[in-house]
């Protein structure tokens, strides 16, 4: 039977006590992390969100009744303790912030008893994630998980403080909105009042924030929940949180400048990290050429080298036919890995195939200067030497080459570079390498749709100097778009938006829209832009990912209090779930009979 | 054709300039609010979110091209102007913060042309709301509406600042969650991955915040979007925003104390209002007895008087039969209204009927001391005199009486009091009367379900001193629940929660639940509470309503950027709307054929 606090007031959190409190009578409350009886003295580790505190019970201080209660305490009981802070009699516990003191209990109340948890509440839990997610309310007690959720709260507060000081207004946009057939799959919400009609949950506040610029709000931000009904990859959630912003009367450099200050502020505030400004910038073209990725991890080298010119006209058909088809031959140099066992090299070839390569050519420059290679026999000694030189290779190096159209070569070598970086332990985990990627292509060619698609979205502004090519060479037009990358992960991205309706029309034409079909899709935004629209630009961060990186978490599920799993369900609440027929009737919808699988 | 900013950078917002900037060359950007040519000088009122600035164009400064552009300017064009700040040559405009200065333009760029808006962008717009909501992006340009949206942003920032300084963590809870059959109607979201299953959008984060207490987060808050699929009354929205909080190891007084500091902080920060602490408290019983309402507007008197004892045994059957049936007879005194025309009194009687009264008895104490009354003939002179005395009435007063069971009498006289307060202009609109209502009944009797229902929710803690009556006289048990009221509007409410499973069991029993049915409904929360739960309590505010009151708005639609109308639709986006059949097929749902109305 639980006791009530009955007027007791907590004076301190557990972790707030230190040597400076010695001699004070305090009242602390929390969960029993451990209880042990050692020679007639009961030691209790008391835990709350601030830390762990050692409480000792002796009958002389706690009285017979208090001591008897202390004997009954088990893990996860909730107790209130009144006692005196003392310098620790035993050895100082250096693992605890409160390790130099203890509280000698004079009074104890059991506020709640507890069953034995289905798994131990401990840091770096070995319990499998499914069980922990089912009992998420217990898993959330783990101090290492708690510290991440607490840091997330600190980070969002820092963001808001900064944005508000920079004149951004936080404005809420609707969650029950209209389905737009562009982009990812929408979550739909049936309307009861308008049977047969549906709201959609927002994939982002994009259109609303552009409207707010049109309405003169000048600087908007929002930490907004967004929804995408996509099949979940490792680090995706059906609902996720976006730090969303939009600014009027600005160009690329203005957006970058304010976001650099934001990132510096957050990093300092949240994890005490000094970010040096300005953050490095790299064009999309350079990022692809050097790292085979538009979100390069620059914490290590092993950059791509274009050897197309060097191997042009060599006898190796894989290389030359790639070149003839307009592609390229590029390589990376795995320094000192010449003696990598064949089995491991074969595994790399398989890895590369997973990234779209037909194969992977390798050349080991052995310590004695001789070569072991999959393709040496197709080349002259001179050609091989030129290739080795082009790759800046020394005896002991392993060279890996891909030959295909550029997009495949980049993808393969970009992936391989990261894989080798991990395998060979080349990545300095203490580094926080921020990087802007700029000048993205405006379009990407879709084989599937046989037309150009907007790489960002159809409202992205082309670079002025490329405007003339919009009709003639759309593939070469660069956009006023930018991504911010941290250690090889895209934290966020954005663009300057088109605010000139003539350019917007040309953009839609380039995308293959008629005026009518464009209007059908983006009607009320286009309407709005007829009544005076300022130049504007914006950016959005994935908050879950940002917090994951700053807290050093392995997964976004560690920085979300109640995450969902891969099939988009919540193991704790068992959502989604069946509902009453009455609810469906009110909404005027029916569940389709399940088709038999053939 | 719009011009680009082309490197121009804004130096100031319009409203930021003052006499101290005289002589500076500035670059301002904004919307043309007005343009007029007066004797070869063009005057432009330039508007941005900070205010309005007068810009003057003369050919001598702006050049022929610049002047020609200025001539072309029309309302809502977006322009950039470079010019020099000067002391105003003409009369100071005292309506403008920038009324002492003007900017003499040397350069102008037209960043965007504009069609003539469908209604004028002006303060206190007379345009009907439907049209303004369709063009919400234009309506949102009105300075009076903008100032409310801006103040909302300021208020939420103040809330977050305060909460964070008081050790509250902002923790996001899921939007895609499980439907609970208790409470209002849920918005449902069909699951594509689990056909036939549905998520529900949260009506509040109640269960999640209690779980967070169970997980040791100690102090939680969130400014959270909530959803209720109810038929909308005047000031309801299908999605609304709640300032939600929960605290561990606290009792009623702790929650009240922190919220008083919060309210004081917000009011000071947002509208410069000093709230005197402590805020007055009133028990639910006293509020009903004195004001006939659990959210009394205490800005004026006209309190209810219980005259049951005075009229007991009188000859007026309406009074005596109400008393015989366990009800009461109560009245209000409309001071000085004895000569109210019969027609107006009749209208009050009709008004009272709308609140559930069978009728309304009145007694005018005429200036000469004689009575005009609907019931005087049933009473002796002595009885009437006693009644007049009990009502503290003087010649010239109008007394209005209701006789019925208490709940009806309170409702009728509470409503009538507010109506008379408005009609007679008794309400001092400069007052901000905060008030705590405490000691709510734990249960209310439901005629419909023929059982007691939880007045707040089934996890609300009874007052310790009433625990013994839980089984014997549940109707008399008071709850540890509290509401905060401002000027007759409920701003928020909350309670201490049950954290003792024995009391929780008794509570469910009193509500007529079996153990099994309770578990079916509230399973994972009850599970969680088996593993050690701290005493905890919380409170939630309706943010939209709070902002409405603090900004002096007439409707919550004025403090929501993109609100919905009564039928839960958005006139701008036309959500909800039809969706592609493909989307429904993927979700495995069908729309029921519409039944013919008979």
């Amino acid at each position: 039977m639980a006791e009530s606090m009955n007027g007791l007031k907590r004076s301190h959190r557990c972790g707030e006590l230190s040597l400076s409190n010695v001699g004070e009578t305090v009242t602390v409350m929390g969960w029993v992390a451990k209880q042990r009886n050692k020679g007639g003295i009961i030691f209790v580790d008391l835990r709350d969100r601030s830390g762990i505190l050692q409480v000792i019970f002796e009958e002389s201080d706690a009285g017979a009744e208090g001591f008897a209660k202390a004997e009954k305490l088990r893990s996860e009981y909730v107790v209130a303790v009144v006692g005196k802070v003392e310098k620790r009699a035993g050895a100082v516990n250096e693992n605890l912030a409160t390790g130099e003191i203890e509280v000698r209990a004079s009074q104890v109340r059991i506020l709640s008893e507890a069953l034995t948890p289905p798994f131990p509440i401990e840091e770096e839990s070995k319990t499998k994630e499914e069980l922990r997610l089912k009992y998420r309310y217990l898993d959330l007690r783990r101090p290492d998980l708690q510290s991440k959720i607490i840091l997330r709260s600190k980070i969002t507060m820092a963001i808001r403080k900064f944005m508000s000081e920079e004149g951004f207004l936080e404005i809420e946009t609707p969650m029950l909105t209209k389905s737009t057939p562009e982009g990812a799959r929408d979550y739909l919400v049936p309307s009861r009042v308008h049977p047969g009609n549906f709201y959609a949950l927002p994939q982002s506040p994009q259109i609303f924030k552009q409207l707010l610029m049109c309405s003169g709000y000048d600087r908007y931000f929002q930490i907004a929940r967004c929804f995408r009904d996509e099949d979940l990859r490792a680090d995706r959630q059906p609902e996720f949180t976006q730090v969303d912003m939009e600014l009027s009367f600005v160009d690329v450099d203005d957006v970058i400048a304010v976001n650099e200050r934001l990132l510096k502020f957050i990093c300092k505030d949240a994890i005490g990290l000094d970010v040096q400004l300005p953050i490095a910038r790299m064009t999309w073209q350079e990022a692809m050429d050097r790292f085979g990725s538009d979100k390069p991890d620059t914490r290590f080298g092993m950059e791509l080298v274009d050897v197309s010119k060097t191997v042009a006209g060599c006898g190796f058909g894989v290389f030359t036919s790639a070149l003839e088809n307009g592609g390229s031959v590029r390589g990376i140099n795995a320094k000192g890995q010449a003696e990598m066992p064949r089995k491991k090299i074969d595994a790399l070839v398989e890895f590369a195939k997973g990234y779209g390569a037909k194969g992977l050519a390798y050349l080991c420059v052995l310590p004695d200067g001789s070569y072991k290679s999959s393709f040496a026999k197709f080349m002259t000694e001179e050609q091989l030497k030129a290739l080795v030189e082009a790759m800046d290779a020394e005896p002991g190096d392993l060279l890996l080459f891909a030959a295909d159209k550029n997009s495949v070569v980049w993808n393969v070598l970009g992936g391989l570079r990261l894989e080798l970086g991990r395998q060979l332990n080349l990545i300095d985990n203490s580094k926080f390498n921020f990087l802007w990627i700029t000048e993205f292509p405006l379009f990407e060619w879709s084989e599937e749709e046989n037309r150009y698609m907007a790489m960002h979205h159809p409202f992205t502004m082309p670079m002025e100097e490329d405007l003339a090519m919009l009709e003639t060479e759309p593939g070469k037009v660069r956009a006023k778009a930018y991504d911010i990358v941290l250690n090889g992960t895209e934290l966020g991205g954005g663009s300057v938006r088109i605010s000139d309706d003539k350019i917007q029309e040309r953009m839609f034409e380039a995308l293959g829209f008629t005026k009518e079909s464009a209007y059908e899709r983006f009607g009320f935004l286009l309407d709005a832009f007829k009544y005076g629209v300022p130049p504007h630009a914006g950016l959005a961060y994935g908050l879950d990912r940002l917090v994951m990186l700053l807290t050093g978490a392995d997964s976004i599920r560690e920085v979300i209090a109640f995450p969902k799993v891969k099939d988009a369900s919540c193991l704790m609440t068992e959502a989604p779930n069946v509902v009453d027929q009455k609810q469906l009737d009110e909404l005027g919808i029916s569940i389709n009979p399940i088709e038999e699988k053939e």
Side-chain angles (χ1 to χ4, degrees), chain A residues 300-562:
Chain A
F300 68 107
M302 205 190 286
E303 297 188 11
L304 278 59
V305 179
D306 188 343
V307 295
S308 301
K309 279 183 189 149
T310 315
V311 301
C314 79
F316 185 32
V318 171
F319 285 179
T320 50
S321 74
L323 297 176
E324 279 154 21
N325 290 319
S328 59
V329 182
R330 297 167 201 249
I332 53 176
N333 182 346
K335 300 295 290 179
Q337 296 299 314
E339 309 204 48
M340 184 180 280
R342 179 60 194 260
K343 234 171 123 177
K344 269 184 107 173
I345 295 182
D346 287 346
L348 293 179
V349 176
E350 284 313 304
F351 179 90
K353 284 181 181 167
Y355 276 73
K358 291 188 213 64
L360 196 64
Y362 69 89
L363 174 74
C364 307
V365 186
L366 296 174
D368 64 1
S370 69
Y371 305 138
K372 194 177 78 186
S373 169
S374 59
F375 61 85
K377 55 186 170 194
F378 301 110
M379 288 199 182
T380 65
E381 192 65 28
E382 209 156 83
Q383 286 171 337
L384 283 171
K385 207 178 152 215
L387 186 59
V388 166
E389 260 169 32
M391 294 299 297
D392 211 6
E394 302 163 308
D397 290 354
L398 166 64
L399 307 178
L400 298 160
F401 299 95
D404 210 314
K405 54 182 184 184
N406 281 330
S407 59
V408 174
V409 172
W410 283 327
N411 198 31
V412 168
L413 292 183
L416 201 62
R417 174 181 172 269
L418 286 181
E419 176 62 18
L420 281 168
R422 278 187 288 264
Q423 281 189 14
L424 306 177
N425 226 349
L426 302 178
I427 301 171
D428 178 351
N429 281 312
S430 71
K431 278 191 183 165
F432 281 81
N433 278 18
F434 287 95
L435 178 67
W436 288 104
I437 305 297
T438 62
E439 303 186 10
F440 276 77
L442 185 63
F443 301 105
E444 53 189 347
W445 180 259
S446 165
E447 296 288 350
E448 203 176 313
E449 304 221 359
N450 196 37
R451 66 166 175 110
Y452 280 107
M453 308 274 284
M455 199 174 218
H456 198 63
H457 60 54
F459 304 103
T460 304
M461 180 68 185
M463 286 177 64
E464 275 88 358
E465 48 270 62
D466 294 353
L467 268 175
M469 297 189 290
L470 204 51
E471 289 77 16
T472 52
E473 293 183 282
K476 288 198 176 165
V477 177
R478 292 162 300 165
K480 288 192 159 185
Y482 32 79
D483 274 3
I484 176 76
V485 172
L486 170 56
N487 293 345
T489 299
E490 181 206 325
L491 285 184
S495 64
V496 175
R497 326 300 181 183
I498 297 174
S499 57
D500 178 323
D501 49 0
K502 301 284 176 304
I503 299 176
Q504 188 66 63
E505 273 176 32
R506 292 170 62 193
M507 177 75 180
F508 279 133
E509 240 165 74
L511 288 168
F513 284 79
T514 62
K515 231 175 172 166
E516 290 66 35
S517 66
Y519 206 86
E520 221 169 81
R521 284 177 188 228
F522 310 106
F524 62 92
L525 184 66
L526 296 178
D527 270 349
F529 278 21
K530 290 179 192 154
Y531 295 99
V533 54
H536 59 289
L539 189 144
Y541 295 89
L543 178 66
D544 306 307
R545 230 183 288 174
L546 177 68
V547 174
M548 180 183 86
L549 288 178
L550 293 185
T551 59
D554 294 323
S555 146
I556 54 171
R557 291 185 298 282
E558 288 179 36
V559 298
I560 297 172
F562 300 100

Side-chain angles (χ1 to χ4, degrees), chain A residues 72-303:
Chain A
K72 274 178 48 187
L73 296 181
R74 298 175 55 194
S75 282
E76 304 308 317
Y77 274 41
V78 181
V79 297
V81 173
V82 181
K84 198 176 251 183
V85 182
E86 296 183 346
K87 198 157 182 304
R88 211 175 260 223
V92 164
N93 182 343
E94 301 198 343
N95 296 322
L96 286 187
T98 60
E100 296 180 290
I101 53 152
E102 58 197 9
V103 166
R104 175 171 297 271
S106 56
Q107 224 191 103
V108 58
R109 290 211 191 131
I110 298 178
L111 303 178
S112 171
E113 300 183 345
L115 297 182
T116 303
F119 52 85
I121 312 294
E122 60 189 5
E123 307 224 343
E124 286 167 39
S125 174
K126 298 288 175 295
T127 307
K128 69 172 184 168
E129 196 182 9
E130 284 66 30
L131 188 66
R132 288 190 284 115
L133 286 173
K134 179 171 159 58
Y135 296 94
R136 184 65 169 179
Y137 44 83
L138 296 178
D139 200 35
L140 280 169
R141 291 183 186 174
R142 287 195 293 123
D144 48 350
L145 187 47
Q146 271 194 356
S147 73
K148 294 189 182 84
I149 301 287
I150 291 171
L151 196 51
R152 180 184 178 121
S153 172
K154 205 172 162 186
I155 289 169
T156 56
M157 193 59 210
I159 292 170
R160 288 192 158 103
K161 189 158 178 267
F162 177 89
M163 297 304 279
S164 139
E165 278 167 12
E166 294 263 344
F168 287 83
L169 305 167
E170 183 156 17
I171 301 177
E172 294 179 70
T173 54
M175 291 281 174
L176 294 172
T177 180
K178 190 184 177 180
S179 182
T180 53
E182 194 81 358
R185 208 181 279 114
D186 283 323
Y187 276 105
L188 298 182
V189 182
S191 161
R192 178 179 55 86
V193 186
H194 306 274
N197 287 258
F198 294 80
Y199 303 95
L201 300 179
Q203 295 185 28
S204 90
Q206 182 66 33
I207 289 183
F208 291 106
K209 70 177 177 174
Q210 292 196 239
L211 288 176
L212 286 170
M213 294 304 100
C214 183
S215 301
Y217 287 81
D218 204 290
R219 291 187 157 206
Y220 143 95
F221 87 105
Q222 189 180 191
I223 300 188
R225 203 70 60 85
C226 304
F227 304 84
R228 277 180 208 171
D229 185 11
E230 294 296 330
D231 297 314
L232 300 188
R233 296 202 308 249
D235 253 1
R236 285 277 180 88
Q237 289 278 318
E239 53 178 310
F240 57 97
T241 304
Q242 196 164 293
V243 180
D244 194 45
M245 68 178 77
E246 195 80 7
L247 302 77
S248 290
F249 303 114
V250 294
D251 209 329
V252 175
D253 285 347
D254 305 289
V255 179
I256 286 187
V258 74
N259 278 283
E260 291 194 347
R261 290 199 303 279
L262 169 63
L263 287 168
K264 188 181 177 73
F265 185 81
I266 301 172
C267 288
K268 187 72 194 170
D269 192 76
I271 57 171
L273 176 74
D274 276 313
V275 177
Q276 289 307 312
L277 300 189
I279 288 170
R281 297 191 200 184
M282 199 181 279
T283 64
W284 179 87
Q285 189 65 53
E286 183 182 348
M288 299 311 288
D289 281 340
R290 290 177 55 193
F291 300 96
S293 167
D294 59 3
K295 41 178 193 283
D297 189 337
T298 56
R299 288 176 298 175
F300 68 107
M302 205 190 286
E303 297 188 11

